[in-house]
Amino acid sequence: MNMINWFEIAVSDFDRAKKFYETIFDIQMSVTEIQGYKMAFFPNEAGIVSGAICYGEGYIPSGAGALLYLNANPDVNLVLDRATAAGGRIIVPKTLIGEDTGYYAFIVDTEGNRIALHSER
């Protein structure tokens, strides 16, 4: 069972944030508007956790918001390199958790959100 089944990342500049996440994860995000909120969805497959960046009243980015661990496989360094090139910054570099658990790193995205990354190597 997944402990996280959805996540939403509040953004203050929708287009900038969408470009940031598409760039660092090398993905395309689909966009929709739901009940006055603009959302761009991370890739989603049956049985996996996914989420969206969200823009609209009530979505206020916070540097101290929820800490989400996003999949950065195969190697967190690849995502870190793309994150800095896309305007983010690294606040904790690639760090070993344990041989059986992998690595983590923390970044701050273009909206000021603190995000954790995890990879097996």
Side-chain angles (χ1 to χ4, degrees), residues 15-93:
D15 293 331
R16 178 179 65 194
K18 180 177 177 286
K19 180 179 178 182
F20 177 82
Y21 284 104
E22 287 180 333
T23 300
I24 72 168
F25 290 112
D26 193 24
I27 60 171
Q28 293 296 311
M29 300 174 80
S30 60
V31 175
T32 192
E33 290 195 30
I34 300 171
Q35 300 174 351
Y37 299 103
K38 194 169 191 177
M39 302 176 89
F41 297 100
F42 288 91
N44 187 346
E45 294 177 24
I48 65 167
V49 175
S50 192
I53 61 169
C54 303
Y55 175 81
E57 187 176 332
Y59 283 107
I60 302 167
S62 168
L67 182 58
L68 305 170
Y69 282 78
L70 302 180
N71 186 339
N73 281 308
D75 186 334
V76 73
N77 276 334
L78 298 172
V79 176
L80 291 174
D81 290 344
R82 293 192 295 247
T84 55
R89 63 186 171 90
I90 299 167
I91 56 175
V92 175

